[in-house]
Each structure stands twice: as C-alpha cells, then as structure tokens.
Amino acid sequence: MDATDPIRRAIVCTGNSHKVEELALLLDDFVLEPLAAGTKLPPEIGATFLDNARIKAYAGQELHPGSWVIADDSGLSVDALDGAPGVHSARFAGDDATDATNTDLLLQRLDGYAETQLRTARFICVLVAIAPDGTEYLGEGTVEGHIALERSGDAGFGYDPVFIPTGETQSFAELGAEVKARMSHRARAARALSERILQPA
Ligand code: IMP
C-alpha cells in the first residue's frame, strides 16, 4: 500500500470518538478505524499542536507498524487570553476537566469582555498522517470566529456551543455536522492533508 492506492485503511490515533466521526466525513480517501478501546497514548507534552499531533501519530505507528496512522491535535486560541487555552484546550479547567467545566471557565475568563470584537478566537487543527513506508504528511487548518456570551446548541463537542464562526450568527453546536464538515478547522486541515497525500511535493 502506498500514497497512490485509491483506498487506504488508517488508524486514527485519538481517544476522542467525536474526532473519528468528523474525520470519517472528511477524509474520503481513507477507511478510518479507531484505536482499540483502552489504548493508552503518551501524554501531550508538546509546546505546539504539531508537536502533540506527532506524539500521537508516532505512538500509533509503533502500535500499528505497516498501517497508515493519522493523528489530530486541535484547540481553541482566544485573543483576549493571549492564545489560551491553546494546546491546553482539553484540560483548561484541570486534569479532571470536562467539556462543561472547560466552557464554564472560558466564559468566566471572558467576563467583562462584552463586545464581539473583544471575544475573537480561532480553532486550529494540525493533522499528521504517516504512511506505511514512514513518509509523514501534514495538514493544518484554522477557522476564525468569536466566543458567544452564552452556550447555544447541542451538536458537536468541546467548545462548539460557544464558538460562532465569522460570518455566522449561530454556534458550531447549532450549525451542526454538515456545516462543520465544510468550514471547520478540522475540515480545512483534512483538505490540506489530502492534497499533500495525493500530490506530494
Ligand atoms: P486534543 O486535540 O485531543 O488535545 O483536544 C483538543 C480540545 O480542543 C478538545 O478537547 C476540545 O476542548 C477543543 N476542540 C478541538 N476541536 C474542537 C472542535 O471542533 N469543537 C470544539 N472544541 C474543539
């Protein structure tokens, strides 16, 4: 199997089932498989999204030598918070953080920043794919927006209920999976990754 094969199986190196679902809608050239339940990935100690995506991808490659592996690292960068929560997005509210406690803390930290232009933010995603021959491919994507004053919507995960993409009036959690598959940071990173795999430099 190489980069010219039409259908490739790939192991997605994440414990987050939402990411596997979103990536499955985005990466048409792959049949995606989750890591076996309970697989432990190393701690995400990198300083950048790329570092952390690589940590997960190479850990997956060790577990599944000879397979394509794909890892994503992503997060939210809020201008008023100097880029936080950034690479700490999943654990913003501490080691036992949940989507709910992370979002509560974010809204609390932005208390006093009432106007939209003071609440600007972006989601960032870096995807790393490693081919069976060890070739590494990267894709990065961002989506600009702002943090709403309160939650709305039930779809998605993480900070989706409070993230309003630029040009929209509803949150990602209201806009839903189809809109996210078109314009999210993960969608853009997936398109960039696919282009690199199909047309390597
Ligand atoms: P990690 O990439 O698994 O380290 O976690 C990224 C964290 O960033 C998630 O737990 C969410 O809190 C947040 N995040 C990343 N992508 C999204 C998204 O598409 N919607 C909402 N939150 C996201």
Side-chain angles (χ1 to χ4, degrees):
M1 194 175 278
D2 63 26
T4 59
D5 283 332
I7 299 285
R8 309 171 186 89
R9 292 187 181 282
I11 309 288
V12 186
C13 308
T14 177
N16 182 334
S17 61
H18 295 283
K19 287 186 178 179
V20 183
E21 283 162 25
E22 288 194 8
L23 287 171
L25 291 176
L26 297 168
L27 289 167
D28 301 343
D29 328 312
F30 286 93
V31 176
L32 298 184
E33 292 171 18
L35 282 170
T39 304
K40 276 227 168 257
L41 288 170
E44 295 175 28
I45 52 170
T48 65
F49 294 111
L50 175 58
D51 289 345
N52 284 333
R54 278 193 171 130
I55 287 172
K56 289 183 258 190
Y58 284 95
Q61 192 201 31
E62 271 192 26
L63 292 168
H64 296 275
S67 293
W68 277 86
V69 292
I70 296 180
D72 136 305
D73 199 59
S74 51
L76 180 69
S77 173
V78 179
D79 293 318
L81 304 180
D82 294 328
V87 291
H88 306 295
S89 292
R91 286 166 302 283
F92 189 38
D95 285 343
D96 298 329
T98 62
D99 288 348
T101 59
N102 282 332
T103 303
D104 284 343
L105 180 60
L106 177 66
L107 291 175
Q108 190 187 315
R109 289 273 169 90
L110 288 175
D111 202 21
Y113 296 84
E115 291 150 38
T116 298
Q117 64 267 31
L118 299 179
R119 301 174 71 93
T120 51
R122 66 206 50 76
F123 275 126
I124 301 166
C125 175
V126 174
L127 286 171
V128 172
I130 305 172
D133 68 2
T135 309
E136 182 189 89
Y137 299 90
L138 306 179
E140 178 167 353
T142 61
V143 56
E144 299 286 333
H146 73 271
I147 304 303
L149 293 171
E150 56 189 33
R151 293 170 164 85
S152 51
D154 303 318
F157 69 101
Y159 301 93
D160 279 347
V162 293
F163 184 83
I164 303 192
T166 300
E168 303 289 340
T169 54
Q170 293 180 301
S171 74
F172 262 160
E174 291 175 289
L175 292 166
E178 267 180 42
V179 172
K180 246 187 128 179
R182 218 173 44 239
M183 62 182 298
S184 78
H185 49 315
R186 198 162 291 104
R188 290 172 177 162
R191 282 197 286 273
L193 179 71
S194 294
E195 280 167 21
R196 300 246 167 82
I197 290 173
L198 295 175
Q199 295 149 13

